[in-house]
Amino acid sequence: RAPITVQVVEGDGNVKTIQALAGENLRRLLQRKSIQLYNRKTKRFDMPYATGDCAGEGLCGTCLVKVEQGMDLLSPKDSLETMITKGRPLSWRASCRTWVGPGNQVGTLRLQTQPQTGCDDEID
């Protein structure tokens, strides 16, 4: 499988560079590499008065990332992810519904975790 370099800008501005292989799920990759993906105060898509994650089931919308570079290195949005990200910037992806390297292409992906932290309507 093709190698993909993933540069992750975390909430504190720190940039971590990790390696992925084409076909990996983005949420699982970030968790395996100990990247802080979730802000516990983020409102859930499926339960607006609750916070926290749904364990990767594609129900809550709390695992969002902002893609700064390399959108072409990610799988297209499916109907569930389209619903989760409706009304949000086009650069935001639900990491649980996103796979890196479709088509087995090599490249560099740069993303920011917890983009919703700066948005009052996203945080409880």
Side-chain angles (χ1 to χ4, degrees):
R1 298 186 303 178
I4 298 162
T5 300
V6 182
Q7 298 171 340
V8 183
V9 181
E10 295 183 295
D12 60 3
N14 186 33
V15 178
K16 287 186 180 177
T17 300
I18 59 176
Q19 296 299 315
L21 294 175
E24 287 193 74
N25 175 269
L26 186 56
R27 177 185 178 273
R28 285 183 288 221
L29 168 69
L30 296 174
Q31 288 186 317
R32 192 175 72 247
K33 298 294 185 173
S34 299
I35 303 292
Q36 182 62 40
L37 184 58
Y38 294 97
N39 176 329
R40 287 182 277 145
K41 295 182 177 182
T42 301
K43 293 178 186 175
R44 289 178 63 131
F45 173 76
D46 60 336
M47 299 183 328
Y49 300 104
T51 59
D53 73 269
C54 66
E57 297 296 319
L59 300 172
C60 68
T62 62
C63 66
L64 298 173
V65 296
K66 176 184 177 185
V67 180
E68 296 179 350
Q69 174 189 338
M71 187 68 82
D72 60 320
L73 295 171
L74 300 174
S75 59
K77 287 184 180 183
D78 63 16
S79 59
L80 184 57
E81 184 181 7
T82 298
M83 184 174 63
I84 292 169
T85 58
K86 184 177 181 179
R88 293 178 167 136
L90 294 175
S91 60
W92 288 17
R93 299 292 306 266
S95 65
C96 68
R97 306 295 301 172
T98 305
W99 281 259
V100 297
N104 206 32
Q105 69 265 40
V106 176
T108 299
L109 172 65
R110 185 177 175 94
L111 53 88
Q112 175 189 342
T113 58
Q114 304 177 18
Q116 66 274 40
T117 298
C119 303
D120 290 341
D121 60 336
E122 298 276 345
I123 300 294
D124 187 26

